Amino acid sequence: MSAADFARRIRSRERALGYWSVIDSPVSTEWLAHVGWDYICLDLQHGLIGYDGMLRGLTAIDAAQGPAGLVRVESNDQTYIGKALDAGARGVIVPLIDTAEDAARAVSYVRYPPAGVRSYGPMRSQLRVGPLPADANDSVVVLAMIETPDGLENVEAICAVPGLDGVYVGPSDLRIAVGGASPSDSSVDDVFDAALVRVQEAAAAAGIAAGIHTPSGEVAAKRLAQGYTFATVASDLTHLKAVSEGHLKAARG
């Protein structure tokens, strides 16, 4: 789909399903892009991908002529966000957003003047998004991660930031943020589930998208049924290990 179509879909709170990539392997990324996902997100914060890998990955995704290529940037930084967008990302997921002011800065880094402060230099994005600043402003999405104690406390104010297209839950950090000893600590299930409801309701009240990372298609379906508008499934690295283990177990009988 075009950048404008994907942005419209996210902003309209239509359901979307995506996949997560942490491996710098453009061939495998291209294969994944042919599966039918609505988007594939390249993880530059925790993934094993640098700038060159991001550029190759976005090119591989676009070669499939299907899903939108997103990037989780390293931090809420004008340079990182600008480089991802100039490389052709259809949107950015910005980690560790604690306040409305943080979210407003992220929005400003994504938009060209007068709506923001993005510097003009669309080296590759002009081929996929368009060279005109107004078109890019309309066609690129910015999503703020809710994953910290402060981010959760300020989620309603974050969701109300003008120009923010959606929020995105990082469940591992959020579970720790609400008191979990680890990303899988089940002792905080009740407070974690309440936090998920709060994020979803804050986004719905503000009329923006609500997204979440999930470990499986089953959990993704559950979150969509609970009111989230888009969900990302697992990652290429974890699936590579899981599938390999499954085949080894079957071969050993």
Side-chain angles (χ1 to χ4, degrees), residues 19-24 29 32 40-43 47 49 234-236:
Y19 195 74
W20 202 255
S21 176
V22 302
I23 305 173
D24 182 357
T29 300
L32 291 168
I40 293 179
C41 184
L42 306 177
D43 184 1
I49 304 172
S235 77
D236 44 15

Side-chain angles (χ1 to χ4, degrees), residues 31 46 56 78 92 147 150 153 156 169 188 213 253:
W31 272 83
H46 292 305
R56 290 190 293 265
Q78 184 174 2
V92 290
E147 54 185 342
D150 287 341
E153 179 63 26
E156 290 82 10
V169 172
V188 296
H213 197 91

Side-chain angles (χ1 to χ4, degrees), residues 6 10 20 41-42 54 58 69-95 97 105-111 118 139-145 164-168 230:
F6 179 74
I10 292 297
W20 202 255
C41 184
L42 306 177
M54 175 184 68
L58 290 171
L70 304 184
V71 171
R72 176 165 73 171
V73 294
E74 296 94 320
S75 65
N76 189 11
D77 179 275
Q78 184 174 2
T79 298
Y80 290 141
I81 291 173
K83 288 173 77 70
L85 296 178
D86 288 348
R90 309 293 179 89
V92 290
I93 297 175
V94 185
I97 298 296
R105 281 194 295 274
V107 171
S108 75
Y109 299 155
V110 168
R111 310 294 181 214
R118 180 180 172 187
S139 301
V140 172
V141 298
V142 52
L143 308 167
M145 290 199 73
L164 186 68
D165 296 304
V167 288
Y168 186 79
F230 69 101

